[in-house]
């Protein structure tokens, strides 16, 4: 059975609906690192620098080889023998017949550069699979750049989907605005669009409440007030 690999929120590997356990936390991290650089050859020193940054180099090399042995053994038992390749001091993870949410996202995102009726469902599917930031709960420092990359891509996709639905279906636009706000709770542009939809649909009190909650959040978390244009929109509702 093919492996199902989830990278958003937390790294989890399944086969036959069973969660796979790694021998150690470092074996899991090595798998995550090689998966992040899927099908690429990464120099062993780069792997060591990222996974054992504060340790003696000779000891780190032993740790790397030990983890590789455990990882190869585990993947072999799961039906993926000989999937970690070595050449010129570089390692590469190359897995056939797997489903990985992040790899699928990478392959599919190009097909929704311009949204229309033919590909809107693809955009929705990509958004639905983004359940949290890349490897967020694993707390791997080296994953930060990749996490930011996926986050920016998904935010851009949210913007496109919201713009697509804004005039066609305001309720759907509002739904995806709320989903986006959970990932970026400090977005003034998001709150402005949400308020405008609510006002247009006659939900003035809900729009006022949304602004007040947002203002409180900004003050409590960041110690700042919303931008002037957003405050003016709020004032126009209070006085209007």
């Amino acid at each position: 059975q093919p492996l199902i690999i989830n990278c958003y929120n937390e790294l989890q590997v399944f086969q036959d609906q069973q969660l796979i356990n790694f021998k150690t936390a470092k074996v899991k991290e090595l798998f995550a690192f090689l998966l992040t650089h899927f099908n690429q050859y990464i120099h062993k020193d780069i792997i060591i620098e990222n996974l054992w940054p504060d340790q003696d180099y000779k000891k780190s090399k032993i740790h790397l080889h030990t983890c590789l042995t455990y990882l190869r053994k585990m993947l072999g038992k799961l039906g993926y023998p000989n999937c970690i390749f070595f050449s010129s001091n570089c390692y590469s993870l190359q897995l056939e017949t797997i489903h990985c949410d992040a790899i699928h996202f990478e392959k599919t995102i190009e097909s929704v550069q311009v949204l229309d009726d033919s590909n809107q469902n693809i955009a929705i599917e990509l958004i639905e699979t983004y359940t949290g930031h890349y490897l967020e709960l694993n707390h791997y420092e080296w994953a930060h750049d990749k996490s930011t990359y996926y986050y920016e891509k998904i935010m851009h996709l949210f913007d496109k989907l919201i713009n697509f639905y804004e005039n066609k279906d305001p309720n759907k636009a509002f739904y995806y605005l709320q989903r986006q706000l959970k990932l970026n709770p400090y977005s003034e542009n998001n709150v402005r669009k949400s308020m405008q939809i609510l006002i247009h649909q006659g939900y003035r009190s809900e729009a006022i409440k949304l602004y007040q909650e947002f203002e409180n959040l900004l003050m409590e978390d960041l110690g700042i007030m919303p931008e002037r244009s957003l405050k003016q929109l709020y004032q126009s509702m209070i006085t209007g």
Side-chain angles (χ1 to χ4, degrees):
Q1 287 292 315
L3 291 181
I4 308 296
I5 305 170
N6 299 331
C7 297
Y8 295 128
N9 206 38
E10 180 183 12
L11 177 66
Q12 292 183 318
V13 181
F14 295 89
Q15 191 175 59
D16 282 335
Q17 299 182 329
Q18 295 293 313
L19 181 64
I20 304 302
N21 290 315
F22 289 82
K23 180 84 174 174
T24 68
K26 276 296 173 189
V27 174
K28 185 175 185 177
E29 187 175 0
L30 176 60
F31 178 75
F33 190 85
L34 292 173
L35 186 70
T36 299
H37 302 281
F38 192 65
N39 284 342
Q40 300 172 42
Y41 278 89
I42 307 297
H43 198 281
K44 72 176 192 309
D45 288 353
I46 292 173
I47 299 171
I48 287 169
E49 281 169 23
N50 282 279
L51 269 67
W52 296 276
D54 303 316
Q55 289 197 24
D56 173 73
Y57 180 71
K58 284 185 179 178
K59 283 183 180 177
S60 297
K61 265 179 38 173
I62 294 167
H63 290 322
L64 174 60
H65 289 133
T66 303
C67 287
L68 281 164
T69 300
Y70 285 135
L71 187 56
R72 282 183 166 127
K73 191 175 179 181
M74 185 196 91
L75 290 169
K77 281 183 179 178
L78 294 171
Y80 294 87
N82 308 316
C83 61
I84 299 174
F85 295 84
F86 181 74
S87 177
S88 303
N89 284 319
C90 298
Y91 291 94
S92 175
L93 178 67
Q94 299 176 27
L95 294 164
E96 299 293 329
T97 63
I98 62 163
H99 179 78
C100 174
D101 51 7
I103 292 170
H104 175 67
F105 183 94
E106 199 88 68
K107 288 178 179 175
T108 313
I109 191 70
E110 295 303 319
S111 67
V112 288
Q113 288 301 308
V114 178
L115 271 192
D116 54 38
D117 290 327
S118 70
N119 63 3
Q120 59 171 311
N121 287 333
I122 297 171
I124 290 167
E125 184 243 337
L126 289 178
I127 280 171
E128 293 299 332
T129 60
Y130 192 90
T131 54
H133 303 309
Y134 185 74
L135 304 178
E136 181 180 15
L137 297 181
N138 298 106
H139 306 292
Y140 301 144
E141 283 188 28
W142 52 261
H144 180 263
D145 287 350
K146 196 72 171 180
S147 178
T148 302
Y149 165 81
Y150 283 122
Y151 173 76
E152 288 174 352
K153 289 274 185 186
I154 205 73
M155 284 295 118
H156 191 44
L157 187 58
F158 264 112
D159 287 340
K160 282 194 276 194
L161 195 61
I162 289 159
N163 290 338
F164 178 76
Y165 282 128
E166 219 164 355
N167 296 320
K168 282 174 173 280
D169 190 338
N171 288 329
K172 276 192 179 178
F174 186 77
Y175 169 77
Y176 287 110
L177 281 162
Q178 295 302 102
R179 288 284 305 273
Q180 187 187 40
L181 195 62
K182 285 180 182 177
L183 292 169
N184 183 11
Y186 308 122
S187 171
E188 302 217 3
N189 186 50
N190 179 297
V191 172
R192 183 183 295 106
K193 282 191 173 186
S194 298
M195 286 171 68
Q196 286 167 342
I197 289 172
L198 288 170
I199 293 163
H200 187 71
Q201 293 186 326
Y203 298 117
R204 185 167 155 270
S205 60
E206 282 83 351
I208 290 169
K209 185 186 174 195
L210 179 65
Y211 173 85
Q212 289 171 342
E213 287 174 350
F214 181 67
E215 185 183 273
N216 290 337
L217 181 74
L218 284 187
M219 279 302 296
E220 286 174 17
D221 289 7
L222 306 176
I224 60 172
M225 289 291 287
E227 286 179 7
R228 189 177 171 187
S229 60
L230 189 60
K231 202 162 187 177
Q232 284 173 341
L233 179 61
Y234 169 69
Q235 294 291 350
S236 70
M237 285 188 296
I238 295 293
T239 55

